[in-house]
Amino acid sequence: MFRLWARTFQDNHMLRDACISDDSQDTRTHKIFRALDEVCYQFDLPRPIWLDKTIAEFRRHNKARFTRDNFVESIDFDYLEIQVIEED
């Protein structure tokens, strides 16, 4: 079981969250991208861009923050945070 938790924050207050599960036998990378796509669909967000800083943070902590710099379109919150909370 693979689970990814996503949350949006504004002024250090959580606005909304979602937990995405994936039981497929796909690679970890594919599961992460698919879960992020599902989060963006549920929250009605544009897909964020993975900057080098974001990739390094995710590799180090299994957690990443997507700020306004990661989005091409404007967003109505401070950042989107994703975190892997369970892996097979």
Side-chain angles (χ1 to χ4, degrees):
M1 170 75 68
F2 173 87
R3 292 189 320 157
L4 182 127
W5 187 23
R7 304 173 287 178
T8 58
F9 289 88
Q10 178 73 40
D11 298 325
N12 289 326
H13 294 284
M14 185 172 61
L15 300 176
R16 56 190 162 188
D17 70 326
C19 188
I20 308 298
S21 300
D22 191 339
D23 286 334
S24 70
Q25 296 299 316
D26 218 346
T27 64
R28 180 178 190 262
T29 303
H30 285 117
K31 290 178 183 181
I32 291 166
F33 285 132
R34 197 168 33 249
L36 185 57
D37 285 344
E38 178 62 28
V39 166
C40 290
Y41 177 77
Q42 285 184 18
F43 292 173
D44 192 26
L45 299 174
R47 288 180 65 194
I49 299 168
W50 287 83
L51 302 174
D52 291 339
K53 177 183 98 172
T54 314
I55 295 169
E57 179 184 3
F58 191 75
R59 284 184 180 159
R60 197 171 309 115
H61 304 291
N62 274 340
K63 181 191 290 188
R65 283 187 179 177
F66 297 98
T67 60
R68 297 180 196 281
D69 295 339
N70 296 87
F71 292 92
V72 175
E73 300 174 26
S74 64
I75 55 174
D76 60 349
F77 51 88
D78 291 337
Y79 60 90
L80 165 69
E81 183 175 87
I82 63 168
Q83 179 178 5
V84 175
I85 56 174
E86 185 178 345
E87 290 190 70
D88 338 64

